[in-house]
Amino acid sequence: MTEELLFKLIRCELWGKPLEESVPNDVLVKVMELAHRQTVSGIVLNPLSEREGGDDWELVSKYISRSLKIRRKNTAVNHELADFARCCQQAGLNIIIVKGQTVAAMYPHPMLRMSGDIDFLIRDSYQDCKEKIEAIIGTHLPERLKEKETSFKRNGTLYELHEQLLIFGSKRCNQYWQRLVDESWKEHHTVCVDGVPIRTLPPTLNAIYIFCHLFLHFIREGVGLRQLCDMAIQLHAYRNEIDRQELAVILEQLDLKKAYRAFGCVLVDKLGLPEESFPLCLEPSDKKWEDSIVKDIFKGGNFGKEHHKAQIGLKFKFETLRLVLRHCIRYYNLAPTELRLFVYKLLKINVRLIFK
């Protein structure tokens, strides 16, 4: 009942439908606890009428306070992002902001989506951009990136700087994806955040990137419902701009078409995304994955935090390895190319870390 009510509240907020039932206090508390673990508290709170909570003003004030906190955080992050984008433009830095606030802008009530860090892609090499970025953030960056990203804080907001947005297990897929990203710089698609046009990926490539980021995190650790809401909102907002034929071809090349459709069933059946807004035709066989995906999402919580008993050390590494292997085996048929290579790479890395 708790999970179904959570989905109902999300559908009400995403698609502007009224909640036509009263929620008992004990159920409300359970739903909000679950929403917090899935990082959708603000989205879920909005459809609840002022009468929810009844005479329990302590409960009501608690949720009003949580909603205001989410709004304040979004205000601060939006202002910071807009300023950072302006500084980059003035410095001649070509960047693309992905996910986060650029997707939040598409929500019916953008200030209610729980914000996180800010991810951005640089066009030029890290060495060419390093000094300019250091001047903007007022601190030093490492001499080189460890892998594909580095992080820093500016005015209390966490940033992740990327030279590559995604790294696939397949060399062929990596080269193909990088060609697509290189081509995307020729387009100039923007989303308005805090009154400033923020450059992001063009709609078709963004629809693929948001899913790939979601799916790879889902396999490695887990994701919260916020990530699925982002995918649903982006697909609906750009339903008339996404090139469905091109999207299908790209997913075929990445061997992720089945996985895309499986998650599409969750978006349509659970989050209420209109089926005509989903860019691929859903097949009856796709639906069989739905319960398993939803179960794993609820079991793991946001980025899989609930999967772990340990937070650091050898036990944490073993828990992570066991989780990824389980997910790779369970969902192998959805993305065989990526998951086969992913298992090999993961075993190699984790064996080295465990016995380091």
Side-chain angles (χ1 to χ4, degrees), residues 110-178:
M111 303 304 282
L112 293 177
R113 178 194 177 274
M114 292 180 72
S115 61
D117 54 12
I118 295 174
D119 292 78
F120 70 99
L121 174 71
I122 52 176
R123 183 173 188 176
D124 300 320
S125 72
Y126 178 66
Q127 292 304 321
D128 289 339
C129 297
K130 183 173 176 292
E131 286 188 11
K132 292 180 180 179
I133 296 173
E134 287 176 336
I136 293 170
I137 66 178
T139 189
H140 291 292
L141 294 172
E143 285 305 311
R144 56 180 54 86
L145 298 183
K146 292 180 180 178
E147 288 187 2
K148 64 183 179 71
E149 64 189 41
T150 190
S151 59
F152 58 84
K153 277 194 173 183
R154 182 178 188 262
N155 297 324
T157 297
L158 181 65
Y159 286 80
E160 282 196 355
L161 181 162
H162 297 259
E163 273 194 317
Q164 295 174 270
L165 286 177
L166 295 169
I167 296 181
F168 295 96
S170 162
K171 183 178 179 180
R172 179 191 63 80
C173 289
N174 273 324
Q175 292 173 340
Y176 177 66
W177 172 257
Q178 196 54 50

Side-chain angles (χ1 to χ4, degrees), residues 45-83:
L45 280 167
N46 204 45
L48 294 168
S49 67
E50 294 181 1
R51 70 175 183 275
E52 301 300 349
D55 295 327
D56 191 344
W57 294 109
E58 184 177 349
L59 183 65
V60 173
S61 62
K62 176 183 176 181
Y63 294 139
I64 291 175
S65 175
R66 184 177 295 180
S67 181
L68 290 173
K69 184 178 179 180
I70 293 169
R71 290 174 184 269
R72 285 196 297 269
K73 175 74 182 298
N74 272 309
T75 299
V77 174
N78 284 350
H79 182 72
E80 164 58 26
L81 173 57
D83 184 63

Side-chain angles (χ1 to χ4, degrees), residues 194-330:
D194 202 37
V196 174
I198 304 293
R199 188 171 184 176
T200 190
L201 292 171
T204 303
L205 197 62
N206 207 9
I208 296 168
Y209 169 68
I210 288 173
F211 168 73
C212 288
H213 179 268
L214 180 162
F215 182 68
L216 295 177
H217 270 294
F218 175 78
I219 295 297
R220 287 199 301 260
E221 51 201 355
V223 292
L225 286 176
R226 181 185 63 178
Q227 281 69 38
L228 271 75
C229 289
D230 283 356
M231 184 179 173
I233 282 294
Q234 195 269 347
L235 290 176
H236 185 69
Y238 291 104
R239 60 194 179 277
N240 296 323
E241 295 178 50
I242 291 171
D243 187 325
R244 299 181 179 218
Q245 185 174 357
E246 181 187 0
L247 180 137
V249 169
I250 294 172
L251 290 172
E252 196 77 56
Q253 289 295 314
L254 296 174
D255 195 21
L256 289 172
K257 198 172 181 180
K258 287 183 180 178
Y260 203 90
R261 293 201 311 261
F263 276 78
C265 284
V266 180
L267 301 186
V268 171
D269 293 342
K270 298 297 185 180
L271 298 187
L273 174 69
E275 192 164 350
E276 60 271 20
S277 294
F278 189 71
L280 299 178
C281 292
L282 295 174
E283 300 176 6
S285 59
D286 300 325
K287 195 173 178 62
K288 70 178 182 181
W289 300 96
E290 186 177 308
D291 289 342
S292 180
I293 291 171
V294 170
K295 183 179 179 181
D296 279 329
I297 288 172
F298 279 121
K299 186 177 180 181
N302 187 49
F303 290 118
K305 293 177 183 176
E306 306 295 323
H307 282 304
H308 292 283
K309 293 180 180 179
Q311 298 300 316
I312 56 173
L314 192 61
K315 185 177 180 181
F316 179 84
K317 292 174 184 177
F318 272 119
E319 287 175 347
T320 301
L321 181 59
R322 185 174 65 244
L323 171 68
V324 176
L325 288 174
R326 186 170 71 239
H327 281 178
C328 285
I329 293 169
R330 182 176 296 168

